[in-house]
């Protein structure tokens, strides 16, 4: 009995340690369940000739305003799928704010997509306490993530970067390092 209890506690410790590292993500399947999976730290940057158009989407922002993906037209766009319940998001989101402050005047838009949140109050509190100024869409059913089902937006956090032609240019599953994001944004803002 003691060995079974010790093994169970050891397994729980390993699982909890994985949940709080920057190298993990939460996989959200269509049934709404969550599980942590390994991330792809550097992500995938898609060559310009191989990029596909991003799906159109719309919804309601956390501040109550309406949003349509056509508002991203002509700009590079960073779409970050997050939840207040997601440990890597607590690290990544303030770092996104830093990068956003650096590039928002360079034709780059950031849009958070709050998914699978049981109560909007949690999302509102998260944005307020982290000092996030870029907009976030409230998507409790994960409908926008489903629209991006050809890309790994079903893992939280996930980040999809669109080029100026509204094509998917980079995909990150898990926490994105600031330097990786800066590099891809510099590349995309430099494209003709």
């Amino acid at each position: 009995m003691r060995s079974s209890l010790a093994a169970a506690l050891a397994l729980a410790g390993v699982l909890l340690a994985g949940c709080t590292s920057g190298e993990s993500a939460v996989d959200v399947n269509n049934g709404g369940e969550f599980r942590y999976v390994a991330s792809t730290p550097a992500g995938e940057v898609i060559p310009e000739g191989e990029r596909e158009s991003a799906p159109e989407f719309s919804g309601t922002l956390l501040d109550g305003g309406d949003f349509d993906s056509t508002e991203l037209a002509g700009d590079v766009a960073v779409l970050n799928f997050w939840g207040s319940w997601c440990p890597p998001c607590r690290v990544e989101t303030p770092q996104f704010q830093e990068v956003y402050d650096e590039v928002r005047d360079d034709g780059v838009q950031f849009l958070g997509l709050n998914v699978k949140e049981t109560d909007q109050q949690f999302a509102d509190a998260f944005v307020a306490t982290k000092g996030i100024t870029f907009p976030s869409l409230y998507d409790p059913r994960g409908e926008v993530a489903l629209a991006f089902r050809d890309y790994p937006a079903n893992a939280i956090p996930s980040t999809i970067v669109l080029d100026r032609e509204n094509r998917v240019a980079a995909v990150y599953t898990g926490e994105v390092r600031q330097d990786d994001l800066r590099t891809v944004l510099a590349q995309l803002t430099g494209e003709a």
Side-chain angles (χ1 to χ4, degrees):
M1 171 107 167
R2 280 188 179 162
S3 63
S4 295
L5 179 59
L9 288 174
L11 178 60
V14 168
L15 290 175
L16 285 174
C19 292
T20 59
S21 78
E23 300 297 322
S24 61
V26 181
D27 182 15
V28 182
N29 65 27
N30 291 345
E33 296 180 17
F34 306 101
R35 66 184 173 86
Y36 283 84
V37 296
S39 68
T40 307
E44 176 187 4
V45 179
I46 301 167
E48 193 171 359
E50 298 176 21
R51 297 178 190 160
E52 303 274 335
S53 292
E56 293 182 5
F57 61 92
S58 61
T60 304
L61 297 169
L62 288 175
D63 69 6
D66 292 330
F67 181 84
D68 190 277
S69 60
T70 58
E71 295 178 40
L72 303 173
D75 287 337
V76 172
V78 177
L79 309 178
N80 177 248
F81 295 82
W82 65 275
S84 67
W85 41 264
C86 161
C89 299
R90 295 181 195 133
V91 173
E92 176 184 69
T93 305
Q95 294 176 358
F96 273 32
Q97 180 64 44
E98 289 178 29
V99 176
Y100 171 69
D101 288 340
E102 296 168 11
V103 299
R104 66 179 165 198
D105 295 329
D106 299 332
V108 179
Q109 294 188 52
F110 277 58
L111 177 67
L113 294 118
N114 174 257
V115 296
K116 301 293 185 177
E117 198 75 60
T118 58
D119 188 331
Q120 185 176 333
Q121 291 179 5
F122 297 122
D124 292 337
F126 180 87
V127 167
T129 60
K130 300 294 183 189
I132 307 306
T133 61
F134 57 84
S136 277
L137 197 72
Y138 182 58
D139 187 24
R141 294 176 30 182
E143 293 171 354
V144 177
L146 288 175
F148 281 91
R149 67 182 147 266
D150 293 337
Y151 305 96
N154 61 336
I156 307 302
S158 286
T159 301
I160 296 175
V161 184
L162 307 179
D163 66 14
R164 294 185 192 280
E165 296 179 31
N166 195 46
R167 299 176 304 175
V168 176
V171 179
Y172 298 90
T173 302
E175 183 181 330
V176 179
R177 294 187 180 124
Q178 283 180 317
D179 289 342
D180 290 338
L181 187 57
R182 286 183 180 106
T183 298
V184 77
L185 291 177
Q187 175 186 334
L188 294 174
T189 56
E191 290 178 356

